[in-house]
Amino acid sequence: MPTRTITLAEPAAQWVDDRVRDDGYPNADAYVAALVERERAEAEKLTALRAAVAQGLASGISKRSLKDIIRDGRIRHANN
């Protein structure tokens, strides 16, 4: 596994130390790895959300009424 060395200013270093102590991480490396994984997962969600918004915008204006859209959404939600 590649090794990375990072330097943190005191407030950030203290934050990491506090998280390791308070949140049960075995060490700072594990905490930073968890942060990176969480950031990666959030970036994937944001990419998917942006794609869904772009798809919705590209689909144009619906001819269905708001009542129909809500009804269809409730049906779809009940079936999942």
Side-chain angles (χ1 to χ4, degrees), residues 18-60:
D18 292 347
R19 298 295 60 79
V20 169
R21 183 190 66 241
D22 297 342
D23 297 345
Y25 291 96
N27 53 46
D29 290 345
Y31 176 68
V32 171
L35 283 178
V36 170
E37 177 56 28
R38 197 162 44 233
E39 172 69 13
R40 186 199 59 74
E42 288 299 317
E44 285 181 0
K45 289 178 189 176
L46 186 56
T47 297
L49 178 60
R50 286 180 175 149
V53 168
Q55 181 181 12
L57 291 172
S59 71

